[in-house]
Amino acid sequence: MTPRDDAPAPLDPLPEPHTGLMGRFRNYFLTGLVVTGPIAITLYLVWWFVTWVDGVVRPFVPLAYRPETYLPYVVPGWGLIVAFFTLTLVGFLAANLIGRTLVDVGETFLGRIPAVRAIYRGLKQVFETLFSGKGSSFRKVGLVEFPSPGMWSIVLISQSPNEDISRSLPGQEEHVSVFLPCSPNPTTGFFFYVPKSKIIEVDLTAEDAATLIMSAGVVQPGSAPDPKKAAALAGMANAARIANASTLRPEPAKAE
């Protein structure tokens, strides 16, 4: 079967857009930055934390138990291991009768020092709330109209104020204490009381909220691309591009 002379010629695929040498280098550089940037910053922060713990713990470890005494170099992370086992041992001792007795004696001693008493009690309540796993502070995320009407900020919801503060707050509505982290450093921010009806709870974890704040909105929660979905969208876009090009390309004139 011979092809007809008046049949239209098959459409050739459209050529890919030409990218110059500098454009390719720029794309390669940005790709390398995206790949290595988070890894480098994470490793730096981990190394800084390990070095800081080693520097704090090393003076309390006798020379006979330090690895650098027998090795020509300092072993990084040794202080972190010592701190981990020391804290575990303290927790084990504090869980029995003798340990609780010693803790009570220490708290009684610190409670008699006026300047130290307030600091110790405040820090103890913070650590018990954050690390005991029983409290609900900073586990809920909400939106508050701040700093002006029509502008909304992400806040971490904490506990309700005590009775003395509740009586001092205006109105009869229940208030909630919230923490508003600053971007890009979420460890700093504003603490204030806000009426409970003025808070809009959102379905976000504290980690997702911290990521959103640190990235200044660049990284949205749940915005990780799905490779299969991205490939399907790319295929659909390519098919649409070829179809549009075929409609715009003029058909060859038929021979009389």
Side-chain angles (χ1 to χ4, degrees), residues 20-103:
L21 181 61
M22 294 303 298
R24 292 182 180 180
F25 273 109
R26 181 189 60 188
N27 294 336
Y28 294 154
F29 172 77
L30 294 178
T31 303
L33 183 63
V34 171
V35 172
T36 60
I39 298 176
I41 295 176
T42 302
L43 293 178
Y44 172 78
L45 293 177
V46 171
W47 179 260
W48 172 83
F49 178 74
V50 171
T51 306
W52 176 74
V53 174
D54 288 346
V56 173
V57 176
R58 186 176 291 110
F60 299 96
V61 180
L63 291 175
Y65 298 99
R66 298 182 187 178
E68 58 266 23
T69 305
Y70 310 98
L71 299 175
Y73 53 85
V74 178
V75 178
W78 175 252
L80 186 63
I81 297 175
V82 173
F84 173 78
F85 282 102
T86 302
L87 293 175
T88 304
L89 179 62
V90 172
F92 171 76
L93 296 177
N96 54 47
L97 180 60
I98 299 177
R100 288 197 298 269
T101 303
L102 294 177
V103 171

Side-chain angles (χ1 to χ4, degrees), residues 1-254:
M1 183 176 180
T2 59
R4 296 173 53 186
D5 295 337
D6 58 350
L11 296 177
D12 297 329
L14 295 179
E16 296 295 333
H18 178 72
T19 304
L21 181 61
M22 294 303 298
R24 292 182 180 180
F25 273 109
R26 181 189 60 188
N27 294 336
Y28 294 154
F29 172 77
L30 294 178
T31 303
L33 183 63
V34 171
V35 172
T36 60
I39 298 176
I41 295 176
T42 302
L43 293 178
Y44 172 78
L45 293 177
V46 171
W47 179 260
W48 172 83
F49 178 74
V50 171
T51 306
W52 176 74
V53 174
D54 288 346
V56 173
V57 176
R58 186 176 291 110
F60 299 96
V61 180
L63 291 175
Y65 298 99
R66 298 182 187 178
E68 58 266 23
T69 305
Y70 310 98
L71 299 175
Y73 53 85
V74 178
V75 178
W78 175 252
L80 186 63
I81 297 175
V82 173
F84 173 78
F85 282 102
T86 302
L87 293 175
T88 304
L89 179 62
V90 172
F92 171 76
L93 296 177
N96 54 47
L97 180 60
I98 299 177
R100 288 197 298 269
T101 303
L102 294 177
V103 171
D104 293 339
V105 172
E107 289 183 348
T108 303
F109 174 75
L110 293 176
R112 295 180 179 178
I113 305 177
V116 179
R117 177 175 54 197
I119 299 176
Y120 172 74
R121 290 180 177 177
L123 291 177
K124 182 180 179 181
Q125 292 179 358
V126 171
F127 274 75
E128 287 180 349
T129 302
L130 294 179
F131 299 105
S132 64
K134 299 178 181 179
S136 59
S137 295
F138 299 152
R139 296 186 180 181
K140 295 182 180 180
V141 182
L143 294 173
V144 173
E145 202 169 13
F146 182 87
S148 62
M151 303 176 64
W152 296 86
S153 300
I154 294 180
V155 295
L156 302 178
I157 302 175
S158 185
Q159 301 287 345
S160 301
N162 56 25
E163 296 182 359
D164 295 335
I165 297 180
S166 298
R167 287 194 298 265
S168 302
L169 292 173
Q172 302 297 327
E173 187 176 354
E174 180 182 359
H175 287 70
V176 179
S177 56
V178 297
F179 175 71
L180 191 154
C182 290
S183 178
N185 183 12
T187 60
T188 61
F190 302 94
F191 171 80
F192 52 89
Y193 296 103
V194 62
K196 195 172 183 178
S197 62
K198 301 296 183 180
I199 302 176
I200 301 177
E201 293 190 16
V202 294
D203 189 14
L204 286 179
T205 63
E207 291 79 8
D208 291 339
T211 302
L212 183 62
I213 293 170
M214 285 188 293
S215 65
V218 175
V219 180
Q220 297 291 331
S223 60
D226 187 357
K228 295 182 179 180
K229 184 182 297 184
L233 292 176
M236 294 174 59
N238 189 31
R241 180 173 62 88
I242 295 175
N244 293 333
S246 63
T247 56
L248 296 177
R249 180 176 296 177
E251 295 183 356
K254 296 182 180 180

